[in-house]
Structure formats: structure tokens, C-alpha cells
Amino acid sequence: MTRPTWDQYFIEITLAVAKRSTCLRAQVGAIIVKDKRILTTGYNGAPKGLLHCLDVGCEIVDGHCVRTLHAEQNAIIQAALHGVSLAGGTIYSTHQPCHTCAKMIINAGLQRVVYVGDYPDSIAMEYLRLAGVQVEHFERAT
């Protein structure tokens, strides 16, 4: 038996969280971890009380579904709702963060981003670099 590394362990949990997504276009999950403890989780879906893409379809503007909050946003919002400090933590995501999520990650005090899937947003990567946030593209074993 080979025991997974902490990153492997948390990425696998993140992939499971993504299965709760309610957007038809992409299933994205995120978890925030500090001191090897999961603080919050998030997946992409409509704001609380609003209809989900699964119910009424995606709302596309400029090639993006605007009905949903991103998984990273939902994970950060969950921390705010429950009074949990994220400072110094790591966010794991099934996709590279977009520039809006990158700004939220920076302001939430997260120090590390670990992601699996690509998302072409060079602005996000530059913001994270300039803010000194460590970014790692996790390669899953096949």
C-alpha cells in the first residue's frame, strides 16, 4: 500500500467536492486547508436561493456562465460566513484560478494555490506571483 502525500490526499478530496457542482459547463471544486485540516469547501453553483444551471440552463455572457459563483469564491465565502480565518492557508482547486478568484485568494491571506486543470488566465498567474502566493500545478498520476 502506498500512502498518498498530503497534496494527493487533498486534491482527491477536491475532485470529489467538484461532483457537487450545479453548472452544466464545468464541474469545479475547491477546498481550503491550514495545518493539514480542511477549513472550507466550495464548488461552482448559483448563489443561495437562486436557480441552478441544472434547473434552468447556463447564463452565458462573453463565453462564460455568469449564473454561478466559482468554487474558490464559494470556499472563501464559507469561511467568511462561519468566521474562519484563512490567513496562511492553502487552496486546492480542480482548475487554475481566474483573475477574480486570484484577487480574492490574495486578499484572504492564502499563501499557496495547488490546482489540477488548466484555465488560461495569465493575469491571474501574474497577480498571484506579484503577491508572493506560491502556485503549484499538480500533475495527477494516471
Side-chain angles (χ1 to χ4, degrees):
M1 180 175 104
T2 303
R3 192 169 182 207
T5 67
W6 284 109
D7 282 347
Q8 289 168 331
Y9 173 73
F10 290 128
I11 285 293
E12 290 302 320
I13 293 170
T14 303
L15 292 166
V17 169
K19 293 177 183 178
R20 289 283 306 155
S21 169
T22 61
C23 185
L24 299 168
R25 297 192 65 210
Q27 286 66 54
V28 182
I31 68 170
I32 298 176
V33 173
K34 186 173 179 181
D35 299 325
K36 299 178 185 164
R37 185 171 61 98
I38 297 171
L39 301 178
T40 63
T41 67
Y43 52 86
N44 57 329
K48 184 176 171 181
L50 300 184
L51 293 174
H52 293 283
C53 298
L54 290 174
D55 302 321
V56 294
C58 293
E59 187 174 347
I60 305 299
V61 175
D62 296 328
H64 297 279
C65 180
V66 297
R67 182 178 308 284
T68 64
L69 288 160
H70 290 189
E72 301 93 334
Q73 294 169 345
N74 272 326
I76 291 168
I77 290 166
Q78 285 303 308
L81 278 172
H82 298 288
V84 176
S85 172
L86 303 178
T90 297
I91 187 165
Y92 291 85
S93 182
T94 58
H95 293 70
Q96 176 201 310
C98 72
H99 63 275
T100 299
C101 289
K103 292 183 284 186
M104 292 178 70
I105 288 166
I106 293 163
N107 276 5
L110 293 164
Q111 292 183 341
R112 185 170 173 246
V113 173
V114 180
Y115 69 95
V116 179
D118 290 322
Y119 181 85
D121 192 334
S122 58
I123 294 170
M125 297 303 273
E126 180 67 2
Y127 287 169
L128 293 167
R129 183 188 70 76
L130 290 171
V133 176
Q134 181 183 353
V135 178
E136 297 175 34
H137 184 203
F138 187 86
E139 297 288 337
R140 289 182 71 208
T142 54

